[in-house]
Amino acid sequence: MISVGTSLCQTEVDESMVLHQPAHSEVVVEVERLLMAYGRRVIQREVSFRVRRGKIFVIMGGSGSGKSTLLRHLIGLQRPLAGHVRYGATDYWASPPEVQARLRRRFGVLFQSSALFSAMSLFENVALPLRLYARLPEPELRQLVRHKLALVGLQGFEDYDPSALSGGMRKRAGLARAMALDPEILFLDEPSAGLDPISSRRLDDLVLRLRDETGASVVIVSHELPSLFALGDDGIFLDAECRRPIAQGSPRELLEHCRHPTVQAFLRREPAERHG
Amino acid sequence: MIAERAPSRLDGAAGQDPDAPPSWALRAEPGGARLELSGAWTLGSALPSAAEVAARWRAQGAGVLIPELVAVTRWDGALLAFLLALAQTVRAGGGTFDERGLPDALRRVLRPPEPAQAHPPPPAPRGLRRVGEWALARLTSFNAALELLGEVVLGFFRLLRGQARLYADDVWQVFSASSAHALPIVAIVNLLVGAILAFIGSVQLLQFGAGMYVADGVAIAMVREMAAVITAVVLAGRTGAAFAAQLATMQGNEEIDALRVLGVSPAEFLVLPRVLALTLMTPLLYLYACALGILGGLLVGSGMLELSAASYLDRTIGALNTHNFVLGASKSLVFGALVALSGCHYGLRAGRNAAAVGQAATTAVVTSIVGVIAVDALFAVCANALGV
Ligand SMILES: Nc1ncnc2c1ncn2[C@@H]1O[C@H](COP(=O)(O)OP(=O)(O)OP(=O)(O)O)[C@@H](O)[C@H]1O
Ligand SMILES: [Mg+2]
């Protein structure tokens, strides 16, 4: 029921809105004119943005606007109908499977539904990436897994099955698993959904600390305004109505400068005005 | 939510029976008509149809239609539904639906819709196109099944070279689920099948004084056909369905996606252990099933024929040869692989919701059972040609 009117959908992204990063910061992910669809149904078109090293990039947008879908295109789960996803100089979707696999090794992904392996204990979930790709002796591996779980406040739950955890605990466990291999790029789909305000704040702090300590870049999908404002260095706003991005920039900048009613309504948490 | 609200105009309703049935009247006005509603317009009452009202309005010359609650005693979602349907018909017929005389709550909903961007789902294909899309979907599914088989075979070779990535707990769990846990049901079903065969055989053959052959018949039927087929069908319903449901649930939880991102092939990590487990365990279960089928035959047969257990077994052993066992065991090997592959295939292709899990399990079971019977027929033809 957002009466932005179709005219606003046609407006190009306001150039002044694009965050001007210092030229020296290196681009780790570059998305160019991505066209995403399920079958014949287009979800988003003309999606272009850059994620710079050590920065936190937020994907904003209403429910169903295609945020998770965009993430799936970035991490190699879904091939775009058109457009490019580049990691450094490598075009992911134009690369052979071995190169894609090598690129994926640099990712840590937290899925919207946590995606913990239900057949494994919490410990084994976090240990799996390490068992696959790190050559650690068992005692060291155990210590590292404990440490990762403690980081997200789950010490003592090592032997729990995922089914015995709350939704928020699963989210945190998923984050611990995503961080297991110290990835260069973290993709987080709604990390703080289902968390209480304090845990949510802790998680934000954790993401910030992680970024500062490891220099990882982070791509986050989030609805939580406090998180968005606390974390976002840059971002993109996907609109469900026009099915294309309608604004780019950090959430703070967008709040101050973006005149698009949908973006303003989202960031101010107000329903958009109706005409008449 | 649909609490009953007081009508806005109580003057007309005063002194009325609050449970009076809903009624309407159409009064001509310059340029259109006024629709006067009265009575209790609630979800529990029998409502007039909007189509009927619209037809009358059209017959009177169409134009503007102004609904009014003159003596409505009570109303809820039923009135709203009626008015929504009426407004749509009137507007579609080129008339004007003037909702301004209605209470606020109704008016807001009945306002002419703003031109909003519609999100029509892609149109469902029709006619020949539908047939074509169906066929293409089958073909894609078949290709995917072949691809899965290929990946599993490749994974098997990697396993032989010690390079496959499996999860020991899961493998153990899958093996025990497809073997030890299936023992009771396989036992009961095959015992009963053996007994039924012996019973029918005895009744028929005793008429010709050929009761001696019951043991032969039961033994050959069980070892060549029934034990393998019945066990495969039981496993399809039990283990194949479980595989499909497990993998479909994992699909819904994004677990499969998480594996892919970790660079682990689901075919190797999840499907290979399941296919391996059923392929290796089904022949063992087959042998067990043969033994129980023969035992069932013995219990009934020796009783009905007044034969000692020893002489019944004697005839049984005389009737069988290794060919029969080799045939049955090879069949059950293929059946096991078929049931496991079909379960995993449909599980991996499931959609991301709860209904998809049930659907995956059902499709997997149906496909497995049909597949088992078809492959059995193929085996029969081959065995006949080879003279075994
Ligand atoms: N597997 C699928 N098949 C078909 N359409 C899908 C599928 N998954 C998602 N969609 C459609 O794609 C659109 C975007 O979905 P997506 O999950 O990316 O939204 P989202 O922005 O992440 O929403 P939310 O904030 O609710 O998680 C939705 O309209 C949905 O209907
Ligand atoms: Mg989402």
Side-chain angles (χ1 to χ4, degrees):
Chain A
M1 276 300 114
I2 305 161
S3 59
V4 287
T6 36
S7 62
L8 271 171
C9 286
Q10 310 314 330
T11 51
E12 285 303 304
V13 172
D14 186 348
E15 275 305 317
S16 66
M17 226 84 292
V18 179
L19 183 70
H20 291 293
Q21 294 280 345
H24 60 262
S25 60
E26 180 196 347
V27 174
V28 277
V29 191
E30 183 180 12
V31 174
E32 193 190 318
R33 309 195 61 185
L34 215 57
L35 173 60
M36 313 185 289
Y38 285 108
R40 265 169 269 160
R41 185 168 157 232
V42 172
I43 305 297
Q44 286 282 324
R45 60 176 84 240
E46 296 291 328
V47 181
S48 301
F49 60 87
R50 290 169 172 184
V51 181
R52 288 164 199 278
R53 181 168 306 283
K55 299 291 176 193
I56 299 179
F57 188 93
V58 292
I59 301 174
M60 296 165 276
S63 186
S65 56
K67 304 180 297 295
S68 301
T69 306
L70 174 55
L71 220 52
R72 292 174 63 81
H73 284 78
L74 298 184
I75 59 181
L77 286 175
Q78 220 169 320
R79 180 181 283 278
L81 275 195
H84 305 276
V85 178
R86 295 197 187 85
Y87 289 94
T90 322
D91 186 335
Y92 186 93
W93 290 109
S95 306
E98 315 84 67
V99 177
Q100 293 184 345
R102 223 175 22 246
L103 284 174
R104 282 201 304 262
R105 291 266 296 278
R106 297 158 54 189
F107 302 168
V109 183
L110 167 60
F111 287 86
Q112 185 164 6
S113 52
S114 305
L116 296 180
F117 302 122
S118 43
M120 301 181 191
S121 69
L122 215 49
F123 179 90
E124 285 301 330
N125 261 285
V126 181
L128 182 71
L130 294 167
R131 290 195 200 286
L132 289 173
Y133 295 114
R135 290 198 199 90
L136 283 180
E138 193 65 19
E140 280 86 337
L141 184 135
R142 291 193 164 276
Q143 288 306 321
L144 189 57
V145 172
R146 288 227 179 80
H147 169 71
K148 298 279 177 191
L149 281 172
L151 272 183
V152 294
L154 285 174
Q155 61 274 51
F157 289 94
E158 285 86 359
D159 296 329
Y160 276 58
D161 271 348
S163 57
L165 298 179
S166 75
M169 289 163 87
R170 266 179 242 166
K171 268 272 147 78
R172 287 186 276 151
L175 183 63
R177 188 179 69 190
M179 300 183 325
L181 290 168
D182 295 326
E184 271 174 64
I185 314 169
L186 259 178
F187 296 93
L188 311 177
D189 197 345
E190 301 193 12
S192 40
L195 295 188
D196 60 280
I198 298 173
S199 310
S200 165
R201 173 68 202 280
R202 278 211 196 105
L203 201 94
D204 293 350
D205 291 346
L206 178 67
V207 171
L208 281 173
R209 212 174 74 213
L210 215 77
R211 189 269 306 260
D212 294 340
E213 283 172 5
T214 65
S217 316
V218 187
V219 178
I220 296 191
V221 172
S222 184
H223 289 308
E224 307 277 311
L225 292 179
S227 300
L228 285 177
F229 290 122
L231 298 177
D233 295 319
D234 193 1
I236 191 165
F237 195 102
L238 306 183
D239 188 74
E241 295 282 315
C242 4
R243 304 191 196 166
R244 60 172 69 218
I246 51 173
Q248 281 195 15
S250 81
R252 280 174 196 285
E253 282 178 310
L254 291 182
L255 181 66
E256 273 180 41
H257 302 300
C258 182
R259 291 176 306 276
H260 200 293
T262 311
V263 177
Q264 281 299 322
F266 184 93
L267 292 175
R268 293 183 192 280
R269 210 163 172 267
E270 289 161 353
E273 288 293 305
R274 257 182 86 135
H275 289 318
Chain B
M1 207 218 86
I2 315 171
E4 291 186 5
R5 273 155 286 192
S8 64
R9 295 177 52 159
L10 283 167
D11 43 326
Q16 288 247 337
D17 171 13
D19 290 325
S23 61
W24 57 275
L26 210 55
R27 308 219 183 292
E29 290 260 315
R34 185 173 293 278
L35 174 66
E36 296 179 350
L37 304 174
S38 43
W41 288 71
T42 54
L43 288 167
S45 45
L47 295 180
S49 93
E52 199 182 310
V53 177
R56 181 79 67 78
W57 161 78
R58 221 172 286 121
Q60 289 195 2
V64 185
L65 183 68
I66 312 164
E68 252 181 45
L69 313 191
V70 289
V72 169
T73 51
R74 289 186 297 152
W75 62 270
D76 59 16
L79 179 58
L80 180 61
F82 170 80
L83 290 173
L84 278 172
L86 189 60
Q88 198 203 15
T89 322
V90 167
R91 283 177 186 140
T96 311
F97 187 85
D98 184 348
E99 77 286 351
R100 278 170 302 186
L102 294 172
D104 268 355
L106 288 173
R107 212 175 55 219
R108 253 196 319 265
V109 186
L110 289 164
R111 249 192 306 210
E114 293 177 28
Q117 224 168 347
H119 299 280
R126 286 209 207 117
L128 263 184
R129 181 165 191 139
R130 191 155 147 195
V131 177
E133 297 213 342
W134 178 85
L136 279 179
R138 290 285 81 75
L139 202 65
T140 331
S141 173
F142 185 68
N143 278 348
L146 284 185
E147 216 169 285
L148 184 66
L149 178 64
E151 280 188 66
V152 169
V153 171
L154 288 180
F156 180 65
F157 286 124
R158 269 201 299 278
L159 181 70
L160 292 184
R161 274 182 275 137
Q163 293 168 346
R165 285 180 289 222
L166 301 177
Y167 179 57
D169 278 8
D170 187 45
V171 174
W172 171 252
Q173 213 269 324
V174 166
F175 265 80
S176 57
S178 31
S179 55
H181 295 181
L183 284 178
I185 177 86
V186 168
I188 293 173
V189 173
N190 283 287
L191 192 77
L192 289 176
V193 168
I196 293 166
L197 287 179
F199 180 74
I200 297 175
S202 307
V203 170
Q204 296 301 318
L205 292 176
L206 276 176
Q207 292 176 5
F208 309 105
M212 294 297 287
Y213 292 103
V214 169
D216 303 51
V218 170
I220 290 176
M222 284 313 296
V223 172
R224 282 184 73 106
E225 291 290 336
M226 298 313 270
V229 172
I230 296 286
T231 307
V233 168
V234 167
L235 287 179
R238 201 188 165 278
T239 318
F243 288 174
Q246 268 170 8
L247 296 200
T249 309
M250 294 180 74
Q251 184 71 263
N253 284 342
E254 303 182 284
E255 284 177 54
I256 310 264
D257 291 334
L259 279 178
R260 287 214 169 94
V261 172
L262 273 177
V264 178
S265 145
E268 184 178 304
F269 196 77
L270 297 170
V271 182
L272 177 61
R274 284 169 171 77
V275 172
L276 220 51
L278 266 194
T279 313
L280 295 180
M281 292 300 127
T282 315
L284 295 185
L285 283 174
Y286 154 78
L287 287 179
Y288 176 72
C290 288
L292 277 142
I294 290 170
L295 176 67
L298 182 141
L299 292 178
V300 171
S302 61
M304 287 185 70
L305 305 170
E306 292 166 10
L307 215 63
S308 76
S311 44
Y312 185 97
L313 278 181
D314 219 32
R315 279 221 66 99
T316 300
I317 292 164
L320 293 172
N321 57 33
T322 38
H323 285 328
N324 299 134
F325 280 105
V326 170
L327 179 67
S330 7
K331 272 194 215 180
S332 58
L333 194 87
V334 176
F335 292 165
L338 184 75
V339 167
L341 266 176
S342 147
C344 294
H345 168 69
Y346 287 106
L348 284 179
R349 285 179 69 82
R352 292 171 192 280
N353 55 49
V357 175
Q359 207 177 8
T362 314
T363 321
V365 172
V366 172
T367 310
S368 307
I369 293 180
V370 174
V372 162
I373 306 286
V375 172
D376 190 49
L378 213 63
F379 263 103
V381 174
C382 294
N384 189 31
L386 292 172
V388 269

